[in-house]
């Protein structure tokens, strides 16, 4: 086989891994998805399931108790779990998002203290960057941290934070030097959920991903020691941006999984559903929809895997590719889930069938970890 043909072949171990995760997702996760959505309940049982199978260890290097298997395997898992239940996949995604600042920039002491307990699934993190008035422009944040003896005191309110009330610790971004010319004078801190002054504020009622709590963590004079600073003081904006460059791959994988789940469901439905004396997949109007849905998923997967391979090769400049994968896959997820509802007709519009949930879950992938307009900005800047 030519080197190029070899390059474009997914190795057997990845295919086997995909099959294993798919089996767990179909047998154990999919049957719970409708109930999780209906009750808006955090699925503690499925978190235990993911932990038991070492799935929550996928984001981590082996020296910190992780599988050490890299970005592609992690994102295949996110994709397969999202195909069954996007809320459950978010538990794995946030395990990565909330620990990436520590993995990429944290001290050895912070890594040893926090990562192994996240790899086992005992602890779960949160990433607290956005605020009520600072979403696409996190540099405009109001949360502040001031030095207090050897440590720091943090004051502010964050917004849209995944895992609110569940997380054992929050990676919080705060302005430490309001006069700074560069990098916005922001610093990243680890704040454990049991520190005095921390509280759980408003929780949101959401369109989708209802099994994952989202809301406002409040930091009211929270004291943290100097050891809880992640990376260098004043370098927090770069910590956040580099983290998002990596974690956006997870959003792409989640979106792709939702899209593939909707495509597979619509294709199976169209084989069974009969109208005018024939299965509806005998009609070209349906065939063309299914063909476009499948093609969009396949194209998204190529882009995502290409981006994951760059991370696994150790390439540093991955921001453009992760933005492209997130942008493309999330737009595909939205288009494909709307079409899946159309294939099912009236049945697509009711809660007895999963595609309306998939459409509601898909929408956030165009918004969180940077709106798709921000992704276009990141891509365009890389071309300038
Ligand atoms: N990696 C490392 N450093 C980066 C970076 C990246 N991807 N992007 C920017 N930086 C650095 C810059 O080099 C610059 O450093 P200096 O000041 O030392 O020169 C600094 O960060 C500020 O960069 P810039 O001026 O480009 O920042 P902007 O405020 O213009 O923001 C965007 C750039 C729009 C890309 C950024 O604000 C963004 O990603 N917004 C979306 C945020 C988001 O995804 N929110 C969701 C939160 S999680 S649900």
């Amino acid at each position: 086989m030519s080197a190029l043909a070899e390059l474009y072949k997914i190795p057997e171990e990845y295919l086997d891994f995909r099959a294993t995760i798919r089996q767990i997702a179909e047998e154990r996760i999919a049957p719970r998805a409708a109930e999780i959505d209906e009750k808006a309940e955090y699925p503690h049982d499925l978190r235990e399931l993911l932990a038991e199978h070492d799935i929550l260890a996928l984001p981590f290097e082996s020296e910190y108790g992780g599988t050490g298997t890299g970005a592609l395997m992690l994102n295949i898992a996110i994709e397969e779990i999202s195909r069954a239940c996007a809320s459950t996949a978010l538990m794995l995604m946030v395990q990565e998002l909330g620990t990436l600042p520590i993995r990429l920039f944290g001290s050895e002491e912070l890594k040893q203290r926090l990562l192994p307990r996240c790899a086992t699934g005992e602890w779960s993190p949160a990433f607290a960057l956005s605020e009520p008035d600072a979403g696409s422009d996190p540099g405009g944040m109001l949360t502040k941290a001031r030095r207090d003896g050897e440590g720091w005191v943090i004051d502010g309110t964050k917004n849209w934070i995944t895992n609110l009330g569940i997380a054992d610790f929050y990676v919080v971004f705060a302005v430490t030097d309001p006069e700074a010319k560069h990098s916005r004078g922001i610093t990243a801190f680890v704040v454990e959920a049991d520190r005095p002054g921390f509280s759980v504020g408003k929780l949101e009622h959401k369109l989708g991903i209802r099994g994952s709590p989202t809301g406002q963590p409040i930091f009211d004079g929270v004291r943290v020691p100097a050891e809880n600073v992640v990376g260098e003081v004043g370098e927090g904006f770069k910590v956040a941006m580099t983290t998002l460059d990596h974690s956006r791959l997870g959003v792409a994988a989640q979106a792709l999984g939702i899209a593939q789940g909707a495509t597979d469901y619509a294709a199976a439905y169209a084989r069974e559903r009969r109208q005018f004396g024939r299965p509806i997949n005998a009609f070209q109007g349906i065939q063309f929809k299914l063909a476009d849905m499948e093609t969009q998923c396949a194209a998204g997967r190529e882009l995502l895997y290409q981006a994951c391979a760059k991370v696994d090769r150790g390439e540093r400049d991955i921001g453009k590719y992760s933005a492209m994968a997130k942008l493309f896959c999330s737009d595909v997820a939205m288009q494909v889930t709307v079409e899946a509802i159309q294939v099912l007709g009236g049945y697509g519009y009711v809660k007895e069938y999963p595609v309306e949930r998939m459409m509601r879950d898909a929408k956030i992938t165009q918004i969180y970890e940077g709106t798709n307009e921000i992704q276009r900005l990141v891509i365009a800047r890389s071309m300038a």
Side-chain angles (χ1 to χ4, degrees), residues 186-375:
I186 287 167
T187 303
F189 299 89
V190 167
V191 178
E192 296 86 348
D194 57 5
R195 287 201 178 267
F198 169 78
S199 63
V200 172
K202 180 180 160 222
L203 281 155
E204 304 294 346
H205 296 283
K206 297 176 295 175
L207 178 72
I209 315 280
R210 288 165 46 78
S212 175
T214 308
Q216 289 190 337
I218 298 166
F219 304 89
D220 182 10
V222 178
R223 284 167 201 280
V224 293
E227 304 87 85
N228 281 25
V229 171
V230 182
E232 301 295 322
V233 170
E235 295 291 315
F237 196 79
K238 285 181 185 167
V239 173
M241 291 299 115
T242 313
T243 293
L244 290 167
D245 282 347
H246 284 78
S247 68
R248 284 170 183 156
L249 296 175
V251 180
Q254 183 188 41
L256 177 61
I258 297 169
Q260 191 67 64
T263 301
D264 294 348
Y265 196 91
Y269 177 90
R271 276 196 294 277
E272 299 300 323
R273 171 75 172 166
R274 295 178 73 85
Q275 291 290 278
F276 304 103
R278 283 187 281 173
I280 62 169
N281 73 353
F283 298 107
Q284 208 172 50
I286 298 292
Q287 289 169 353
F288 280 11
K289 280 194 199 305
L290 294 174
D292 284 346
M293 291 156 75
E294 184 80 345
T295 305
Q296 283 176 297
C297 289
R301 187 168 294 108
E302 292 302 310
L303 194 48
L304 172 63
Y305 286 15
Q306 190 66 248
C308 290
K310 281 180 179 289
V311 176
D312 286 342
R313 281 197 298 267
E315 291 181 25
R316 293 173 70 88
D317 189 15
I318 57 144
K320 176 185 179 185
Y321 258 80
S322 66
M324 291 196 300
K326 194 271 196 197
L327 167 65
F328 190 84
C329 291
S330 61
D331 281 353
V332 163
M334 210 52 227
Q335 288 158 20
V336 162
T337 52
V338 168
E339 282 297 73
I341 293 177
Q342 195 67 18
V343 171
L344 269 75
Y347 293 105
Y349 198 66
V350 296
K351 287 189 186 284
E352 225 173 302
Y353 292 79
V355 289
E356 63 82 31
R357 167 174 51 82
M358 291 169 170
M359 184 197 74
R360 289 185 288 104
D361 285 349
K363 184 59 203 169
I364 194 63
T365 64
Q366 293 180 311
I367 300 171
Y368 64 11
E369 295 188 40
T371 62
N372 280 4
E373 290 69 27
I374 290 291
Q375 306 312 313

Side-chain angles (χ1 to χ4, degrees), residues 23-351:
Q23 191 182 356
I24 296 169
E26 284 183 349
E27 289 175 5
R28 308 282 302 274
I29 298 173
R32 289 272 287 110
E35 190 187 10
I36 291 167
D37 173 63
E38 180 70 27
K39 295 187 174 162
E41 254 176 25
Y42 181 80
H44 289 278
D45 57 328
L46 296 184
R47 174 161 157 195
E48 274 171 35
L49 177 80
L50 299 188
E52 268 167 34
H53 287 86
D54 268 349
I55 294 171
L56 293 179
L58 286 167
F60 303 99
E61 289 78 13
S62 44
E63 60 264 49
Y64 303 109
T67 54
T69 42
L72 183 52
M73 253 187 205
L74 167 66
N75 284 294
I76 287 175
I78 293 172
E79 180 189 339
E80 285 302 324
I81 296 168
S82 302
R83 189 170 162 272
C85 174
S87 286
T88 302
L90 189 53
M91 292 194 288
L92 174 56
M93 289 158 66
V94 78
Q95 213 72 3
E96 188 198 27
L97 172 65
T99 54
L100 268 167
I102 298 157
R103 285 178 47 220
L104 297 171
F105 295 93
S107 65
E108 192 52 37
E109 187 274 325
L110 271 180
K111 290 180 185 172
Q112 297 287 355
R113 174 151 49 108
L114 301 169
L115 300 184
R117 295 176 88 164
C118 290
T120 61
E122 180 194 349
W123 278 1
S124 194
F127 179 82
L129 177 68
S130 299
E131 298 187 358
D133 293 315
S136 290
D137 178 19
M141 69 175 62
L142 298 176
T143 298
K144 295 200 167 28
R146 59 181 163 81
R147 282 191 196 271
D148 179 53
E150 293 291 292
W152 296 83
V153 177
I154 304 172
D155 281 288
T157 299
K158 295 290 178 177
N159 215 31
W160 315 123
I161 306 307
T162 300
N163 248 359
L164 179 67
I166 296 286
D168 296 277
F169 63 90
Y170 295 73
V171 174
V172 181
F173 295 84
V175 176
T176 46
D177 180 3
E179 309 302 321
K181 298 254 180 317
H182 293 290
S183 301
R184 312 284 185 264
I186 287 167
T187 303
F189 299 89
V190 167
V191 178
E192 296 86 348
D194 57 5
R195 287 201 178 267
F198 169 78
S199 63
V200 172
K202 180 180 160 222
L203 281 155
E204 304 294 346
H205 296 283
K206 297 176 295 175
L207 178 72
I209 315 280
R210 288 165 46 78
S212 175
T214 308
Q216 289 190 337
I218 298 166
F219 304 89
D220 182 10
V222 178
R223 284 167 201 280
V224 293
E227 304 87 85
N228 281 25
V229 171
V230 182
E232 301 295 322
V233 170
E235 295 291 315
F237 196 79
K238 285 181 185 167
V239 173
M241 291 299 115
T242 313
T243 293
L244 290 167
D245 282 347
H246 284 78
S247 68
R248 284 170 183 156
L249 296 175
V251 180
Q254 183 188 41
L256 177 61
I258 297 169
Q260 191 67 64
T263 301
D264 294 348
Y265 196 91
Y269 177 90
R271 276 196 294 277
E272 299 300 323
R273 171 75 172 166
R274 295 178 73 85
Q275 291 290 278
F276 304 103
R278 283 187 281 173
I280 62 169
N281 73 353
F283 298 107
Q284 208 172 50
I286 298 292
Q287 289 169 353
F288 280 11
K289 280 194 199 305
L290 294 174
D292 284 346
M293 291 156 75
E294 184 80 345
T295 305
Q296 283 176 297
C297 289
R301 187 168 294 108
E302 292 302 310
L303 194 48
L304 172 63
Y305 286 15
Q306 190 66 248
C308 290
K310 281 180 179 289
V311 176
D312 286 342
R313 281 197 298 267
E315 291 181 25
R316 293 173 70 88
D317 189 15
I318 57 144
K320 176 185 179 185
Y321 258 80
S322 66
M324 291 196 300
K326 194 271 196 197
L327 167 65
F328 190 84
C329 291
S330 61
D331 281 353
V332 163
M334 210 52 227
Q335 288 158 20
V336 162
T337 52
V338 168
E339 282 297 73
I341 293 177
Q342 195 67 18
V343 171
L344 269 75
Y347 293 105
Y349 198 66
V350 296
K351 287 189 186 284

